[in-house]
Amino acid sequence: MPNSGELMILLLIIIVLFGGKKIPELAKGLGKGIREFNDAKDGIKNEIESGLKEKDNVRSNTGNNA
């Protein structure tokens, strides 16, 4: 993790490269990207969990009929 001095230098470089007006747009885009990534991650997790539950239900139903 960068310390406070390194963060200040990093922020200064970002301001110089992108300008003050572009920073809110960059932050908004970054936030949107992170949100979409987390939504996709949660969707995949839910699909895997529902598939495992279906598999367990099939096993329990076939075990009772045998």
Side-chain angles (χ1 to χ4, degrees):
M1 288 295 291
N3 61 28
S4 60
E6 293 171 340
L7 284 175
M8 294 300 281
I9 293 171
L10 186 61
L11 288 174
L12 182 63
I13 291 171
I14 290 172
I15 290 172
V16 169
L17 289 176
F18 297 107
K21 293 182 181 180
K22 290 285 184 179
I23 293 175
E25 294 175 26
L26 291 171
K28 183 179 177 182
L30 181 63
K32 185 177 179 182
I34 291 172
R35 191 176 320 113
E36 289 176 1
F37 174 78
N38 285 332
D39 290 345
K41 179 184 68 169
D42 291 339
I44 291 171
K45 180 180 174 186
N46 290 338
E47 285 184 33
I48 291 171
E49 288 175 351
S50 66
L52 290 174
K53 286 180 184 177
E54 280 184 29
K55 188 176 180 181
D56 287 342
N57 287 339
V58 169
R59 280 186 183 169
S60 64
N61 288 339
T62 57
N64 292 336
N65 294 334

